[in-house]
Amino acid sequence: MDLDATPPGEGTQAPTLTTALDGLTRQQLAELNYVMGRWGDSADPTITAAVQLYVWWVADAPTFASRGGDPHFFGLIPDGSRDQVTANLAMMREAAPRDAVIDPSINISVAMVEQYRGTVTVQGAPASLTGKVTLTGGTFEDGTTQKILGAGDYPVIGTPPPGAPEYRIGASITTDAVGYGAGVDLFYTPGAQRILGTATFAPLTATAESPAIPLDFQPVIETQVSSKFVQAGTPFTDQLTVTVTKHSWITVNGSPVPVLAEGTLYGPFDAQPAEANAPPGGAPVLGTESLTLTHPGAYVSPGTLVAPSSGFYTWVWSIDKQKQGENVKYLTDSFTDRFGHVAETSVAPFQPEAVSKANERLVKPGDAVTDTITVSSTNGAWLKQNGAPIPVIFEGTAYQVPGTLPPVQGGEIPEDAAPVGSVQVVTEGPGTYTSPAVTLPDAGFVTWVWEVRKSSQPEWVRPFLAADWRDDYGINVETHSVRWPISITSEVREYNVHKSGRAFDRITVTGFPDNHPDFTGDGYWGPDAKELTHTVYGPFATDTELTSDLPLEDAPVLTTVTTPAKNGVYDIGYTDEDAIRPAKPGYYVIVTSFEGDDRVHPFVSSPTDIWERFFVPGPEQPVSVVTQAQESAFVGDPFSDTALVQGTDIPKGAYLMFRAYGLQPPADAPVCEVPFFASAKVPVTQAGHYRSGETTVKKPGNVYWVETLYDQDGKVIAAGKCGAPGETTVVAERPPGTPPTPPVPQPPLPKPPTSLAETGSDGWMSFVWGGIAAALLATGGTLWFGRKLALYRERNGYVREEDTGIDDLMNE
């Protein structure tokens, strides 16, 4: 500082900050401080030389001037550096008055734009002043809390403590302000020149803090149902996950702010409802539940709502800010979940069931039957998926009821109930469906049982079904009566019956249930019919009137006889009560009928049955032949043909021959060229029935019979026609396991009444039994040897009447 003083040596004292020096003004001190602080530590000697000249020029101005001022001192500068030193000095002399600051200062302030955003403002004198800014309760935009800043506005972001109900953002700035201020550091050495240095003023500082910023937070709720499928009657529960999307859960006086949340369970719907911001108008509401939330995390709803019926049920959770009481100020806003989230929807499965009714109440063996089922969900709506009702497979089984009586309704299926057939119906929503057909092969009662089994459904359907289901066994409207087809074979004892004589008939009845006609009905199924009716129609002028389409209601009736409607062998015509007494010549036929009931099919025998005809001769009857072949047989079983020879003038020595042709496909026209069977000559001595004898075949097909009646010279008296009605035997393959039909033994015929001679000529009435044979031989009364007197006839084979001896007949 001092040009004329000696250089300092040892003993220099520590620097002292001084703000008054040798009468220098505060401005001069500020300028000295500025130049030394700005350039004093430079490593460039052209700068530090200029600083030294500036200090002498200001602090020791009289001496500097007395030495000759700038010209003198400039001349001391080496030539190579002079220009640079003088230029630097000129720059300092210009800058110091302009930039030096007598009293430097720094200021900082915090202003909030909203809860979490604000601005820190730095102001300094000089304006170029910079300092280290430190934030509390907030950060700069880059996340830092400290920066070196000059004057300006700087965005800050609030970072309140977790759970705080309010907070402040604080800011502080510190700067050393080197080279600013009216003062210098003075180094003093006794007896030597003084040394000046940049003033060591204390750092400049400033602090600021925002006003208290009240805080709020925003809890939100996401949910997932505890179980996708909830059985009807089971509580619904929902799993809640609570998070905070603004700030954090606020704590007041050490306790978290409680938040009331409400869950509304909408439903039932028959399908997954569409997702939307709000429920549709009129959406059904099952109920609501409340939860008090005190922290982020997992919650489970109380489970007070129970599934009343099938359907889709979906939760909507909400937080109503206005329902939070004194804590309303801590919530940012209300919250409401979206409607129809799949994850927030539970399904109460539906229970498909069916009510069925058999479509054919009364059927016969071999009929194909169906069942009508009306299906619905019994616990609520039939649910839908992708807009369509969920398909459900119903399985129906038709069971043959054990025994012959209607089934007893019950929940269990008897062990001996045999399944006849099973069907499936794929239902596509509530409605009425008809099952596939099931063929019922056997007589008796057949009842349907319907069920829904989850295991039979497609895998994706199973969870939507509440449980397996099966209806009762034996429901009357679900039951068919496969009515028993009765079989009646009968044979009049004589073909020729004289006028005012008597006819006798043996009727063999099979096919009735063993306990028929004892069933008295049960309120749904009617009682058994009690009787068979045997009506004797006639007389007819010719046998050609006895056709299958004979209008019986208009036909003449001789008499009517009834027998019990049960299996057995019945002989009619033997008592006064059931006597058959034809009074006029002509043809007669006995037709047996059964009106039918709920267990047995109606039956009417055919007027074409030649075994049920008899004839009362008139003065003269032309010779004719009517045949009736066995209708059907199995391959390998014997079958035959029967001829009825009629007429009053059968020539002596006449005989019959039977020929069988085939086998032919049923669809082909009959062809009778070369017979595969020809009977022996069957002598014909009188009107009556004659059998061909039996034959068999080894494959199926149609067999066509042709009978021919010859006189003793071989001249044809009467001949059948190939393919004539009643002259075809249909041979079929035997079903596996079907045994040959055994012959049915017949009981012996009852004893004729004492007026037996009434069946012959009227003059026989006076003969006693001991003379019957002689009378017959003497009068040529071979009528008694008619086919109807063959006592050894059996169900599947008959002894020809010409082979029946008089001894056998008389013994009978």
Side-chain angles (χ1 to χ4, degrees):
M1 171 182 168
D2 302 310
L3 279 170
D4 290 338
T6 61
E10 293 183 2
T12 300
Q13 298 176 0
T16 300
L17 175 62
T18 180
T19 57
L21 180 63
D22 295 355
L24 295 175
T25 66
R26 297 188 71 219
Q27 178 65 31
Q28 288 176 312
L29 288 174
E31 291 176 5
L32 278 173
N33 192 26
Y34 174 76
V35 171
M36 288 188 293
R38 182 78 172 84
W39 293 287
D41 289 335
S42 174
D44 185 350
T46 64
I47 292 177
T48 54
V51 171
Q52 180 63 73
L53 290 173
Y54 182 84
V55 170
W56 287 337
W57 179 66
V58 173
D60 198 9
T63 306
F64 185 83
S66 68
R67 291 282 185 94
D70 287 344
H72 170 72
F73 287 99
F74 290 169
L76 299 177
I77 301 171
D79 291 340
S81 300
R82 184 178 298 120
D83 290 342
Q84 186 61 49
V85 172
T86 57
N88 289 338
L89 177 59
M91 178 269 294
M92 294 173 188
R93 287 174 175 171
E94 179 183 359
R98 182 188 68 228
D99 297 332
V101 176
I102 296 174
D103 294 306
S105 64
I106 193 72
N107 185 53
I108 194 166
S109 62
V110 180
M112 296 304 295
V113 178
E114 41 98 329
Q115 282 179 309
Y116 293 92
R117 289 195 171 273
T119 300
V120 168
T121 300
V122 176
Q123 295 174 320
S128 60
L129 197 62
T130 62
K132 181 179 181 181
V133 177
T134 301
L135 300 179
T136 58
T139 67
F140 295 105
E141 286 187 311
D142 61 2
T144 61
T145 57
Q146 291 184 336
K147 280 185 180 297
I148 302 299
L149 301 176
D153 296 326
Y154 303 96
V156 292
I157 300 171
T159 56
E166 61 180 31
Y167 79 115
R168 300 170 187 266
I169 295 179
S172 64
I173 188 169
T174 300
T175 178
D176 289 336
V178 176
Y180 293 105
V184 294
D185 272 4
L186 178 65
F187 295 84
Y188 178 73
T189 303
Q193 61 174 308
R194 294 169 291 178
I195 299 173
L196 298 181
T198 306
T200 56
F201 287 112
L204 299 176
T205 62
T207 60
E209 189 175 55
S210 68
I213 305 166
L215 292 175
D216 52 53
F217 70 107
Q218 183 61 63
V220 298
I221 302 171
E222 292 183 0
T223 69
Q224 167 129 12
V225 293
S226 300
S227 177
K228 178 67 175 177
F229 294 93
V230 177
Q231 291 290 340
T234 302
F236 292 99
T237 57
D238 203 13
Q239 297 176 345
L240 287 71
T241 300
V242 179
T243 57
V244 176
T245 59
K246 180 182 179 183
H247 188 31
S248 59
W249 207 285
I250 291 177
T251 300
V252 178
N253 299 324
S255 298
V257 171
V259 176
L260 178 66
E262 291 184 342
T264 301
L265 187 57
Y266 290 89
F269 303 95
D270 63 0
Q272 171 68 47
E275 188 172 331
N277 288 330
V285 175
L286 178 62
T288 60
E289 290 185 341
S290 297
L291 271 177
T292 298
L293 311 178
T294 57
H295 59 82
Y299 295 82
V300 178
S301 65
T304 60
L305 302 177
V306 176
S309 63
S310 63
F312 289 78
Y313 297 83
T314 190
W315 287 95
V316 174
W317 284 89
S318 64
I319 298 171
D320 188 343
K321 180 176 180 179
Q322 301 308 315
K323 291 184 179 181
Q324 305 307 315
E326 63 181 7
N327 294 321
V328 63
K329 62 185 177 181
Y330 296 117
L331 258 67
T332 304
D333 203 350
S334 296
F335 165 82
T336 300
D337 196 8
R338 279 175 63 82
F339 170 84
H341 274 302
V342 173
E344 294 186 79
T345 301
S346 289
V347 180
F350 70 105
Q351 183 59 67
E353 296 185 10
V355 175
S356 72
K357 183 176 182 181
N359 290 334
E360 296 83 14
R361 183 172 180 269
L362 303 177
V363 297
K364 61 183 182 297
D367 281 355
V369 300
T370 59
D371 204 19
T372 293
I373 60 174
T374 300
V375 303
S376 62
S377 171
T378 58
N379 69 337
W382 189 295
L383 303 186
K384 297 179 180 179
Q385 189 79 330
N386 298 324
I390 293 173
V392 177
I393 299 172
F394 280 77
E395 296 174 294
T397 301
Y399 288 93
Q400 186 79 40
V401 177
T404 62
L405 295 177
V408 177
Q409 183 172 341
E412 298 298 324
I413 300 172
E415 291 184 359
D416 51 353
V420 177
S422 296
V423 296
Q424 286 189 341
V425 175
V426 179
T427 61
E428 296 180 346
T432 300
Y433 300 83
T434 299
S435 75
V438 170
T439 299
L440 307 182
D442 299 318
F445 288 93
V446 173
T447 190
W448 289 90
V449 176
W450 286 91
E451 64 181 331
V452 173
R453 293 183 297 167
K454 295 176 71 171
S455 61
S456 298
Q457 312 301 319
E459 189 170 353
W460 72 269
V461 172
R462 297 172 192 171
F464 291 96
L465 304 186
D468 290 350
W469 168 84
R470 186 179 74 187
D471 67 353
D472 277 356
Y473 166 90
I475 298 172
N476 51 23
V477 295
E478 290 191 74
T479 302
H480 305 275
S481 175
V482 187
R483 295 198 288 184
W484 296 69
I486 60 174
S487 174
I488 297 178
T489 58
S490 57
E491 183 178 345
V492 295
R493 185 162 179 170
E494 289 82 19
Y495 177 68
N496 280 356
V497 178
H498 281 243
K499 180 180 177 182
S500 299
R502 294 179 68 174
F504 307 97
D505 196 10
R506 163 162 287 181
I507 300 165
T508 302
V509 180
T510 58
F512 278 110
D514 291 340
N515 54 2
H516 199 278
D518 300 333
F519 179 57
T520 59
D522 62 4
Y524 181 80
W525 299 104
D528 291 343
K530 303 298 183 182
E531 294 180 335
L532 289 166
T533 300
H534 314 281
T535 303
V536 183
Y537 290 96
F540 297 94
T542 66
D543 65 345
T544 59
E545 297 180 62
L546 302 180
T547 61
S548 59
D549 56 356
L550 174 68
L552 295 177
E553 64 275 9
D554 299 326
V557 175
L558 173 64
T559 189
T560 298
V561 178
T562 61
T563 57
K566 62 188 301 181
N567 296 328
V569 178
Y570 301 95
D571 293 299
I572 64 173
Y574 289 87
T575 68
D576 291 340
E577 289 77 10
D578 63 8
I580 303 172
R581 297 176 182 272
K584 298 179 181 180
Y587 294 91
Y588 293 81
V589 65
I590 301 175
V591 174
T592 298
S593 63
F594 175 67
E595 64 181 348
D597 54 37
D598 280 357
R599 293 204 296 161
V600 179
H601 200 273
F603 175 86
V604 178
S605 65
S606 173
T608 64
D609 186 357
I610 63 176
W611 295 106
E612 281 294 272
R613 296 181 186 179
F614 63 88
F615 176 69
V616 176
E620 186 175 320
Q621 179 194 13
V623 176
S624 65
V625 181
V626 180
T627 54
Q628 186 170 307
Q630 184 174 330
E631 291 184 0
S632 62
F634 291 132
V635 172
D637 280 359
F639 58 94
S640 61
D641 193 15
T642 301
L644 170 60
V645 179
Q646 304 171 115
T648 55
D649 189 16
I650 298 173
K652 183 179 180 180
Y655 62 91
L656 272 171
M657 286 195 69
F658 296 85
R659 295 175 178 88
Y661 299 88
L663 297 160
Q664 293 182 226
D668 291 355
V671 175
C672 299
E673 294 178 348
V674 178
F676 69 85
F677 168 81
S679 71
K681 293 180 179 180
V682 180
V684 176
T685 59
Q686 64 175 23
H689 296 92
Y690 296 88
R691 292 292 295 269
S692 64
E694 295 175 333
T695 186
T696 60
V697 293
K698 297 181 179 180
K699 61 181 181 178
N702 283 5
V703 173
Y704 300 107
W705 292 89
V706 175
E707 84 293 344
T708 307
L709 178 64
Y710 300 91
D711 64 13
Q712 63 182 353
D713 297 327
K715 181 180 178 181
V716 174
I717 301 174
K721 181 180 179 182
C722 182
E727 279 294 89
T728 303
T729 300
V730 178
V731 181
E733 292 284 2
R734 182 187 307 280
T738 304
T741 303
V744 179
Q746 295 283 329
L749 291 170
K751 298 294 183 182
T754 56
S755 56
L756 175 63
E758 295 178 12
T759 64
S761 66
D762 293 341
W764 292 1
M765 294 289 291
S766 60
F767 289 151
V768 295
W769 276 102
I772 288 177
L776 290 172
L777 295 173
T779 61
T782 57
L783 294 177
W784 204 25
F785 291 97
R787 183 68 185 90
K788 299 306 182 184
L789 298 181
L791 302 181
Y792 304 105
R793 172 183 173 198
E794 295 180 345
R795 173 71 62 188
N796 292 324
Y798 299 91
V799 178
R800 298 199 313 270
E801 60 184 341
E802 58 270 24
D803 296 333
T804 304
I806 183 64
D807 292 338
D808 295 326
L809 180 60
M810 295 305 297
N811 288 337
E812 183 61 28

